[in-house]
């Protein structure tokens, strides 16, 4: 046996040794967070055993040799616990792409609680159930404490020869020490736990992985044909992942309830409609509704049903026979969707993926809570769901978004005969959420609640809960600072840039470096430089001051909440990499801010700068804009002469 690697951990860390087992559990149950080529694992046969039980479990199938048994029981510290100190389990790897053929990669995982160590015994199981132990890949992770009080995280191999690497479940051997062990050390010492569920906790991971790969291959052409201004890489594959989740969830539901017909659905606030398109293509009857039509809708064809109209809570009466209501980033409709599903029919279910924080009638107001705002809002929607009468389940999707916690209501917490009382509870709860000062609507007549829930013959309802509800506007207001007065934007940029440049000037007013790239300020410190009138205008925009600074990417870098002058000689950020390199003879569309305003001018030569250093650099189509570009350069030359 050989020690491959060791990491020293802080001796005063209060999270150890418990944090070690927390970190180990993350690696055992969620290896995909480190190994990106895995979709996950399935874990079975968990049990606590003693040494004799362990030998009986392993010997029949594995025929462990003396060197393996020695590896399991070596390095025994003083004061080992007696009794059932071993934990035995088996995990099966689920790759993102199945490249194993008929062989299934598995591992026996042995936790030795007395020695603070966990051992991994990889093996293959073919289609006939024959087991083959991979002795070259047997490894062990152990937490030790030295006499001086320091903790050491060690990685041991049974043998350093014959390591098997398939590039998926088993990367190359150095990966264990360069990637895996540092991650375990960080998790063990940070001792942080998520407030949310593990991803895909309600689904079989292996089925999800298979369906996702099939859909990703099937719809990858959408990335190239995407006509919207949004990032196709993100939005296409995000909707593919959400569709995968729903398709697997619904397949499991059909198997559980012995159903043959595929579930119907309505997607409320469907946006670009891609989720509707995928679900419909996969055989589920349904439609999507949104207040605004998107360009991409015309590309889907007649089988994808999309409607352009405003959505209000009473529109649940227009979807008779619908099995599922979907709210995917449904904004102001999010809290209403469990209500609408509950009132539609006793058998209607829902899926909601909350994003922006809305209450029934206004923006959601935070409570006095120690939880983060997102978790608090998820709890609020879960509360709405329970009051609506659902047995509510929470899960976490695998999508490229920070808002990826979904709520699912598949069954009710009351009998169908109690529908009238359930309707009464829903009405009272919604009234309790009305803003202060609003006139409350009349409580529903409990005797007529069933009729109210199904709607009247003329399409109206007795309990107009939606009174006061404000659907989003048909024409979306642009609030990304792009429509602010140009003079205001230029003034803020100039004021902030001058403040940053002054930070690196000496007493004589000279820069301490060759080309003054200034200091750095936090966004809050930048806000302190501006007038209250300006801040009030910026507060009305999404992202406010930070959005304005990020929009001015030619001048500023905004990273980690701090603002710096951008030095175009060092182009390493994502926004820089995406821009095409300058080639000789290129004509530019925008003037160079540094050429005009920086005391030392632009640090780049004319031919190397992506922005114009004079009217001769501008494209012909932009040269007639004398009111903007030519005047800019006339001012530029005046400023430069004064500087000289």
């Amino acid at each position: 046996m050989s020690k491959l690697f060791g990491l020293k951990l802080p001796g005063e860390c209060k999270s150890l040794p418990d944090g070690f087992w927390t970190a180990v559990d993350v690696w055992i149950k969620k290896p995909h967070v480190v190994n990106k080529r895995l979709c996950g694992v399935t874990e079975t046969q968990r049990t606590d055993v003693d040494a004799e039980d362990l030998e009986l479990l392993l010997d029949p199938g594995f025929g462990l040799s003396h060197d393996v048994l020695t590896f399991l029981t070596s390095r025994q510290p003083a004061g080992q616990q007696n009794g059932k100190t071993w934990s035995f389990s088996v995990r099966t790897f689920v790759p993102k792409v199945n490249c194993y053929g008929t062989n299934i990669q598995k591992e026996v995982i042995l936790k030795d609680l007395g020695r603070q160590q966990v051992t991994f015994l990889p093996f293959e199981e073919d289609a006939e159930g024959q087991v083959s132990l991979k002795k070259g890949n047997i490894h062990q992770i152990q937490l030790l404490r030295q006499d001086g009080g320091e903790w050491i995280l060690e990685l041991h191999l049974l043998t350093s020869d014959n390591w098997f690497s398939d590039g998926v479940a088993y990367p190359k051997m150095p990966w264990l020490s360069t990637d895996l062990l540092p991650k375990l050390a960080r998790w063990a010492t940070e001792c942080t736990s998520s407030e949310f569920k593990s991803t895909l906790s309600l689904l079989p991971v292996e089925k999800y992985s298979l369906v996702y790969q099939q859909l990703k291959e099937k719809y990858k052409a959408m990335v190239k044909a995407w006509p919207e201004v949004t990032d196709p890489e993100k939005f296409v594959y995000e909707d593919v992942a959400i569709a995968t989740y729903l398709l697997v969830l619904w397949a499991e539901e059909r198997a559980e309830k012995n159903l043959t017909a595929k579930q119907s659905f309505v997607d409320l606030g469907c946006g670009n409609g891609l989720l509707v398109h995928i679900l419909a293509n996969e055989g589920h009857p349904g439609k999507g509704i949104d207040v605004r039509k998107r360009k991409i809708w015309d590309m889907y064809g007649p089988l994808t049903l999309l409607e352009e109209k405003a959505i209000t809570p009473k529109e649940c009466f227009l979807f008779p026979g619908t099995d599922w209501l979907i709210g995917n980033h449904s904004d102001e409709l999010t809290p209403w969707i469990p209500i609408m599903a509950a009132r539609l029919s006793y058998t209607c279910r829902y899926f909601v993926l909350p994003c922006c924080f809305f209450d029934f009638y206004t923006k959601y107001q935070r409570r006095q809570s120690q939880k983060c705002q997102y978790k608090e809002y998820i709890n609020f929607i879960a509360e709405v769901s329970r009051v609506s009468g659902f047995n509510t389940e929470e899960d976490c999707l695998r999508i490229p978004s920070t808002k990826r916690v979904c709520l699912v209501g598949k069954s009710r917490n009351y009998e169908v005969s109690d529908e009238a009382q359930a309707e009464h509870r829903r009405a009272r709860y919604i009234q309790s959420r009305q803003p202060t000062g609003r006139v409350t609507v009349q409580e529903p007549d409990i005797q007529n609640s069933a009729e109210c829930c199904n709607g009247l013959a003329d399409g109206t309802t007795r309990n107009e809960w939606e009174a006061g509800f404000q659907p989003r506007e048909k024409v979306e207001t642009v609030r990304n600072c792009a429509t602010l007065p140009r003079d205001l934007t230029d003034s803020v940029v100039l004021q902030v840039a001058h403040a940053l440049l002054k930070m690196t000037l000496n007493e004589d007013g000279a820069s301490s470096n060759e080309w003054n790239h200034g200091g750095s300020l936090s966004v809050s410190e930048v806000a302190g430089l501006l007038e209250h009138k300006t801040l009030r205008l910026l507060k009305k925009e999404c992202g406010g001051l930070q959005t304005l600074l990020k929009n001015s990417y030619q001048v500023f870098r905004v990273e980690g909440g701090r603002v710096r002058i951008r030095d175009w000689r060092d182009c390493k950020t994502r926004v820089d990499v995406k821009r095409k390199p300058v080639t000789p003879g290129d004509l530019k569309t925008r003037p160079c801010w540094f050429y005009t305003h920086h005391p030392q001018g632009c640090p780049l030569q004319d031919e190397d700068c992506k922005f114009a250093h004079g009217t001769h650099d501008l494209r012909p189509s932009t040269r007639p804009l004398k009111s903007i570009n030519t005047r800019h350069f006339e001012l530029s030359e005046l400023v430069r002469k004064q500087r000289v």
Side-chain angles (χ1 to χ4, degrees):
M1 75 188 67
S2 62
K3 175 181 173 181
L4 179 63
F5 195 71
L7 276 179
K8 289 186 178 181
L9 306 178
E12 68 279 2
C13 184
K14 296 181 180 180
S15 63
L16 298 175
D18 292 340
F20 167 72
W21 291 114
T22 301
V24 166
D25 283 340
V26 173
W27 168 237
I28 292 173
K29 299 174 184 178
K30 299 187 286 185
H32 54 275
V33 301
V34 183
N35 187 347
K36 300 302 181 182
R37 296 182 181 182
L38 293 176
C39 183
V41 293
T42 57
E43 192 180 5
T44 56
Q45 302 179 23
R46 300 182 199 170
T47 182
D48 294 332
V49 296
D50 56 24
E52 293 182 3
D53 295 334
L54 182 64
E55 190 171 346
L56 290 175
L57 279 170
L58 293 176
D59 188 66
F62 296 89
L64 297 181
S65 59
H66 177 72
D67 59 339
V68 176
L69 291 173
T70 303
F71 182 69
L72 293 176
T73 57
S74 62
R75 298 182 306 282
Q76 177 177 337
Q80 179 193 354
Q81 302 174 18
N82 295 319
K84 295 189 175 183
T85 61
W86 292 83
S87 173
F88 175 96
S89 64
V90 177
R91 67 173 178 176
T92 304
F93 290 105
V94 180
K96 284 187 176 179
V97 180
N98 187 10
C99 59
Y100 293 151
T102 57
N103 290 342
I104 301 174
Q105 303 278 20
K106 294 186 175 184
E107 280 184 343
V108 169
I109 300 170
L110 302 175
K111 292 181 180 178
D112 188 341
L113 306 180
R115 297 182 179 87
Q116 302 285 356
Q117 69 184 29
V118 57
T119 307
F120 299 86
L121 303 171
F123 67 96
E124 278 188 351
E125 185 177 21
D126 59 24
E128 298 178 355
Q130 297 295 319
V131 173
S132 174
L133 184 65
K134 296 180 178 295
K135 291 184 63 175
N137 287 47
I138 295 177
H139 58 284
Q140 191 177 82
I141 299 171
Q142 184 175 27
L143 180 68
L144 296 172
R145 190 160 198 176
Q146 294 182 320
D147 295 337
E150 285 188 330
W151 292 97
I152 296 181
L153 194 61
E154 292 186 345
L155 176 64
H156 297 267
L157 296 177
L158 174 64
T159 174
S160 58
D161 301 326
N162 302 322
W163 176 269
F164 167 76
S165 174
D166 62 356
V168 183
Y170 301 108
K172 294 181 180 180
M173 187 191 302
W175 181 87
L176 295 174
S177 56
T178 59
D179 290 72
L180 176 58
L181 208 62
K183 283 281 188 181
L184 292 175
R186 182 165 64 85
W187 295 337
T189 54
E190 284 181 349
C191 195
T192 57
S193 59
S194 174
E195 296 179 295
F196 302 106
K197 296 276 188 179
S198 299
T199 58
L200 309 182
S201 62
L202 302 181
L203 302 180
V205 177
E206 62 276 13
K207 291 184 180 180
Y208 175 90
S209 177
L210 180 62
V211 175
Y212 178 75
Q213 291 303 323
Q214 293 172 345
L215 294 184
K216 185 177 180 181
E217 182 67 23
K218 187 174 182 178
Y219 295 100
K220 66 180 182 180
M222 296 293 299
V223 174
K224 295 182 180 179
W226 194 254
E228 303 293 329
V229 296
T230 50
D231 181 6
E233 289 281 349
K234 177 184 186 299
F235 282 85
V236 171
Y237 294 129
E238 180 172 318
D239 281 355
V240 166
I242 297 172
T244 301
Y245 188 92
L246 289 170
L247 290 172
V248 176
L249 182 72
W250 293 346
E252 293 295 296
E253 182 183 60
R254 291 197 302 274
E256 179 185 340
K257 297 182 178 180
N258 197 23
L259 303 175
T260 55
K262 291 191 173 182
Q263 295 91 331
S264 59
F265 70 93
V266 176
D267 187 353
L268 301 175
C270 63
N272 59 52
L274 181 56
L275 178 60
V276 177
H277 178 64
I278 296 173
L279 296 177
N281 273 4
E282 301 306 312
H284 288 270
K287 65 180 178 180
I289 304 173
D290 201 281
V291 70
R292 290 187 300 278
K293 180 179 179 180
R294 308 303 200 271
K295 295 178 183 177
I296 198 173
W297 285 15
D298 295 329
M299 296 176 56
Y300 293 137
L303 296 180
T304 302
L305 304 180
L306 300 168
E307 296 181 14
E308 181 185 15
K309 62 180 178 181
I311 306 168
T312 57
K314 68 178 179 182
E315 293 210 29
C316 62
F317 307 119
L318 303 180
F319 317 130
T322 299
D323 295 319
W324 283 77
L325 292 187
I326 298 173
N328 172 21
H329 293 170
S330 44
D331 294 345
E332 73 279 357
L333 283 171
T334 298
W336 287 101
I337 288 177
I339 298 285
M340 295 167 71
R343 300 188 78 191
L344 179 56
S345 71
Y346 184 78
T347 59
C348 184
R349 289 84 79 194
Y350 81 87
F351 166 92
V352 67
L353 183 62
C355 180
C356 300
F357 306 147
F358 283 90
D359 208 324
F360 291 108
Y361 303 103
T362 62
K363 286 278 191 178
Y364 177 75
Q365 302 296 320
R366 291 201 66 178
R367 306 169 185 175
Q368 295 297 324
S369 172
Q370 299 298 319
K371 300 182 182 294
C372 70
Q373 185 178 14
Y374 182 43
K375 178 58 178 175
E376 186 182 301
Y377 187 68
I378 293 294
N379 290 347
F380 164 62
I381 300 300
E383 179 183 283
V384 174
S385 177
R386 290 190 294 271
V387 172
S388 299
F390 285 98
N391 295 312
T392 307
E393 296 178 282
E394 179 184 313
D395 205 353
C396 191
L397 276 60
R398 291 186 186 172
I399 56 176
S401 173
T402 56
K403 308 292 176 59
R404 54 198 183 108
V405 177
C406 69
L407 295 172
V408 180
K410 295 190 294 184
S411 62
R412 302 298 173 89
N413 55 24
Y414 62 92
E415 298 297 329
V416 65
S417 57
D418 297 327
E419 183 61 51
Q421 288 78 11
E423 178 75 358
H424 183 64
R425 286 195 302 272
R426 291 190 284 264
R428 290 181 61 86
Y429 181 77
I430 292 175
Q431 289 182 13
S432 73
R433 304 296 302 184
Q434 291 176 344
T436 304
R438 281 198 63 229
V439 178
T440 59
V441 296
Q442 183 178 357
E443 278 195 24
D445 182 355
I446 298 180
Q447 298 298 324
N448 296 311
S449 290
E451 182 181 14
C452 171
C453 205
N454 294 319
L456 300 178
D458 61 358
T460 62
T461 63
R462 291 188 186 277
N463 179 31
E464 296 292 345
W465 285 350
E466 78 284 351
F469 170 78
Q470 294 294 327
R472 70 182 73 176
E473 298 292 334
K474 183 176 178 63
V475 179
E476 187 174 13
T477 303
V478 178
R479 295 192 297 122
N480 61 356
C481 295
T483 58
L484 289 173
R486 187 66 188 178
D487 291 343
L488 173 67
T489 303
D490 290 345
S491 174
V492 171
V493 170
L494 199 60
Q495 187 175 352
V496 175
H498 282 174
L500 293 171
L501 292 173
K502 287 181 180 178
M503 295 177 68
T504 52
L505 296 180
N506 56 32
E507 296 180 357
D508 298 329
S511 173
S512 58
N513 45 49
E514 181 182 353
W515 184 80
N516 187 9
H517 47 66
S520 73
L521 293 170
S522 66
V523 176
S524 59
E525 289 172 332
V526 171
L529 302 174
L530 306 179
E531 297 179 352
H532 290 294
K533 178 182 178 181
T534 301
L535 292 174
R536 283 197 300 269
L537 287 173
L538 293 176
K539 194 172 183 179
K540 298 178 182 178
E541 303 293 310
C542 293
L545 174 60
Q546 183 162 274
T547 297
L548 185 148
L549 297 172
K550 286 184 175 181
N551 289 350
S552 305
Y553 72 92
Q554 184 193 158
V555 185
F556 302 117
R557 276 192 306 122
V558 185
E559 295 173 350
R562 299 197 69 82
V563 186
R564 296 173 176 82
I565 295 289
R566 184 180 296 278
D567 189 343
W568 283 92
R569 296 172 297 181
D570 181 24
C571 297
K572 294 181 180 179
T573 61
R574 184 173 65 177
V575 70
D576 303 331
V577 172
K578 284 186 176 181
R579 295 178 63 84
K580 295 179 180 179
V582 179
T583 57
D586 273 354
L587 293 176
K588 295 107 180 212
T589 59
R590 297 182 61 188
C592 176
W593 186 92
F594 296 103
Y595 179 81
T596 305
H597 298 288
H598 195 283
Q600 295 163 292
C602 180
L604 299 176
Q605 298 297 319
D606 295 6
E607 60 272 15
D608 297 325
C609 186
K610 300 175 183 294
F611 305 98
H613 286 195
T615 54
H616 63 281
D617 269 348
L618 291 173
R619 288 182 183 175
S621 60
T622 63
R623 286 178 181 170
L625 300 178
K626 182 176 179 65
S627 61
I628 300 176
N629 291 323
T630 305
R631 185 167 66 240
H632 173 91
F633 284 113
E634 289 173 352
L635 176 61
S636 168
E637 292 303 320
L638 177 61
V639 172
R640 288 172 65 81
K641 289 178 181 178
Q642 292 176 346
R643 188 162 59 216
V644 173

